[in-house]
Amino acid sequence: MKVLIIGSGGREHALTWKILQSKKVLKIYCAPGNPGTALLAKNIDISSCDIKSLLKFVQKEKIDLTIVGPEAPLILGIVDLFEKNNLAIIGPSKRAAQIEGSKVFAKKIMLWNNIPTAKFVCFDDYKSASKYLKTQKYPLVIKAEGQCLGKGVSVCQDDKSAQKFVKDIFINKIFKDEGKRIVIEEYLTGQEISFMVATDGINFASLIPSQDHKGAYDGDKGPNTGGMGAYAPVPFVDSDMVRRIEDEIVKPTLRSLAKHGNLYKGILYPGLILTKDGPKVLEYNCRFGDPETQAVLSLLETDIIDVFEAINNQQVKRLKLRWFKSSAVNVVLAAKGYPKEYEKGKVIKGTDKYKGKKDVFIFHAGTKIQNKKLLSCGGRVIGVTARGKNLKEAIDKAYKNIGKKGIHFPGMHYRKDIGKKGLIPKL
Ligand code: AMP
Ligand code: GLY
């Protein structure tokens, strides 16, 4: 089988690594991929959002299966385009992908189906939003409609900052064509977890729960990032909690999508917060999480192509996932300045010695090769993923491989507390 993976981050490198282990796969292509995927597959210079060129490539090369990493091509409708041309692709249709693309769509599904989430109100004009904010208690959360370059969510501590954000959205149009509607919602507290399921739209198989670390600095301090590291499984999410999440969140979400003609196929990843009243949905994602996938896939024993085939053949009911009885941690090494303006072009050292290693994996994200040197070119540069017999061992192993004795580059910054939340038995 020939497989194409769309995307260029750490998640796609981890997917390539895992797919390469499948006996069913002969050749892997990545579009556009990164220097890490280039070691395992053939990189093709087509951007993830150029869905027409991707279609042409797949037809020409007779690719048997396409896996979509990031949300953007899904929201653009790559699955609809491919399926119209009788091509196998993993991911939801354009309409179903709205669950990530539109905060209002997602909130409506939750409201109609009593799926636990923060209380909310929607607005599409500045005046009413501003008036409403004046009557509210703080903190509260404002979410702009659309992708908004990942900057559409603001946790506001007071009326002044909330008023500024809605003015920026509606009057100053900082998100240009996006942000035409906003959701203002209650601020929730609790541990955040990532819960991914593989689904054919009717049945689903839950992947092991994981936890991302979104704050730029230790203790979840600092600005929000794409994710500074992740670990899996999460010790304080026991089997009762998993069942509750499946019953109260995953099942009604899939049922509602199917009922309204948006059968959801692929990976559904609700981002959850475990409040004192139970798990609640913060957002839905229509894809694998990054950096959670790097940790989760390194623990998956099942051939991942079996998972994808089950999704496409409506056989998820029969799918039984097997996991290694270990823990995994992925620490992201970021460029100096990230998530604000950051440095680029720094030489990354130490990657060579990890080839073929069984318990430490290096997944590239923002890297490039220039003059035969591996250089940084993105905010989240490279991730160090380690597997251990327990979480403590995985954490120690990951950190041992960062710095002068492992992976390093000038100015790199990373959190020193990835996985620490999982070391506390009950939260
Ligand atoms: P989202 O893109 O909706 O996941 O929001 C990004 C981040 O904002 C989340 O990971 C949370 O840390 C925070 N956040 C979003 N919604 C809420 C909420 N209702 N209460 C507290 N924090 C939130
Ligand atoms: N780890 C957050 C995300 O993938 O959206």
Side-chain angles (χ1 to χ4, degrees):
M1 169 186 283
K2 282 173 157 186
V3 176
L4 169 69
I5 298 160
I6 297 174
S8 63
R11 165 184 51 206
E12 288 76 20
H13 189 177
L15 277 163
T16 311
W17 170 84
K18 182 65 189 162
I19 290 170
L20 191 66
Q21 292 164 35
S22 172
K23 289 194 184 71
K24 296 180 177 174
V25 171
L26 277 182
K27 185 147 186 140
I28 309 178
Y29 298 88
C30 293
N34 64 38
T37 64
L39 301 171
L40 312 173
K42 186 168 169 45
N43 284 352
I44 305 298
D45 189 16
I46 306 176
S47 114
S48 315
C49 287
D50 185 357
I51 64 176
K52 285 192 183 141
S53 301
L54 289 166
L55 173 68
K56 272 192 206 143
F57 173 77
V58 164
Q59 287 174 323
K60 186 168 145 266
E61 288 299 326
K62 301 195 166 41
I63 303 288
D64 301 291
L65 180 66
T66 300
I67 319 293
V68 189
E71 65 279 13
L74 295 167
I75 293 167
L76 281 172
I78 190 169
V79 170
D80 310 61
L81 180 66
F82 274 43
E83 288 186 344
K84 215 171 8 173
N85 287 277
N86 292 318
L87 296 166
I89 182 163
I90 300 297
S93 66
K94 182 175 179 164
R95 282 181 56 176
Q98 282 184 87
I99 198 149
E100 175 163 2
S102 165
K103 303 271 185 214
V104 176
F105 178 88
K107 277 294 195 186
K108 280 186 182 160
I109 288 186
M110 291 187 263
L111 185 68
W112 293 337
N113 297 284
N114 286 323
I115 296 167
T117 187
K119 290 194 198 83
F120 70 99
V121 189
C122 301
F123 293 95
D124 58 11
D125 75 287
Y126 172 65
K127 234 170 127 186
S128 341
S130 170
K131 193 169 156 203
Y132 173 81
L133 284 174
K134 287 191 187 117
T135 64
Q136 293 308 298
K137 286 205 187 86
Y138 287 84
L140 52 69
V141 186
I142 302 176
K143 301 184 173 182
E145 183 79 335
Q147 289 305 288
C148 304
L149 302 166
K151 296 192 166 49
V153 176
S154 177
V155 177
C156 301
Q157 299 298 337
D158 50 41
D159 184 58
K160 194 173 163 213
S161 57
Q163 294 287 353
K164 181 177 180 322
F165 194 54
V166 291
K167 193 168 186 185
D168 279 347
I169 297 169
F170 285 123
I171 310 287
N172 301 330
K173 301 210 180 305
I174 53 169
F175 301 126
K176 304 211 167 77
D177 282 347
E178 296 190 306
K180 288 208 169 69
R181 289 189 291 182
I182 61 168
V183 172
I184 300 182
E185 69 179 35
E186 158 198 28
Y187 177 77
L188 300 173
T189 52
Q191 287 288 327
E192 284 182 45
I193 62 152
S194 304
F195 198 85
M196 298 186 265
V197 303
T199 179
D200 52 21
I202 305 294
N203 294 294
F204 66 92
S206 300
L207 310 194
I208 47 171
S210 53
Q211 196 171 28
D212 189 5
H213 297 64
K214 285 198 176 146
Y217 312 125
D218 286 10
D220 292 326
K221 302 262 171 6
N224 215 33
T225 69
M228 294 296 287
Y231 72 94
V234 183
F236 54 86
V237 180
D238 57 16
S239 54
D240 285 346
M241 180 57 82
V242 167
R243 209 161 311 122
R244 198 166 166 190
I245 294 167
E246 292 177 341
D247 290 345
E248 294 178 16
I249 293 167
V250 179
K251 285 181 192 168
T253 304
L254 293 176
R255 213 180 300 131
S256 173
L257 285 161
K259 196 169 130 197
H260 293 96
N262 300 318
L263 191 85
Y264 189 103
K265 184 174 67 66
I267 302 297
L268 178 69
Y269 148 26
L272 307 176
I273 186 160
L274 306 181
T275 71
K276 62 176 183 11
D277 303 321
K280 296 192 179 185
V281 178
L282 287 181
E283 59 164 354
Y284 289 102
N285 300 292
C286 60
R287 51 173 173 81
F288 283 105
D290 188 346
E292 295 94 321
T293 299
Q294 293 84 314
V296 170
L297 289 191
S298 71
L299 296 175
L300 179 64
E301 196 184 340
T302 308
D303 183 333
I304 196 166
I305 294 296
D306 291 346
V307 179
F308 295 142
E309 287 184 336
I311 291 173
N312 265 356
N313 300 331
Q314 292 274 311
Q315 293 293 329
V316 172
K317 199 175 179 181
R318 301 217 176 118
L319 186 65
K320 286 266 171 304
L321 297 179
R322 294 183 315 280
W323 300 94
F324 294 116
K325 300 223 168 347
S326 314
S327 285
V329 173
N330 168 33
V331 181
V332 171
L333 308 182
K336 187 174 177 183
Y338 176 79
K340 303 220 168 79
E341 207 167 309
Y342 53 81
E343 288 184 349
K344 291 181 189 164
K346 300 294 167 194
V347 177
I348 303 159
K349 296 223 167 112
T351 54
D352 303 342
K353 55 179 177 255
Y354 292 93
K355 204 171 162 216
K357 270 225 166 198
K358 293 261 179 292
D359 53 355
V360 183
F361 318 107
I362 307 303
F363 294 125
H364 292 229
T367 68
K368 66 172 183 182
I369 302 272
Q370 199 172 307
N371 298 328
K372 296 192 177 148
K373 284 198 177 115
L374 183 67
L375 303 180
S376 65
C377 67
R380 292 192 288 176
V381 176
I382 203 161
V384 177
T385 300
R387 240 176 358 204
K389 63 178 186 297
N390 55 41
L391 181 56
K392 167 98 179 40
E393 191 183 287
I395 294 172
D396 290 345
K397 228 185 258 182
Y399 281 107
K400 228 180 250 168
N401 288 284
I402 298 171
K404 288 277 180 267
K405 286 190 184 150
I407 310 289
H408 60 102
F409 57 90
M412 73 176 182
H413 84 85
Y414 59 94
R415 279 182 58 163
K416 315 289 185 299
D417 63 347
I418 303 298
K420 209 170 154 186
K421 289 188 248 191
L423 293 175
I424 306 162
K426 203 90 188 162
L427 290 156

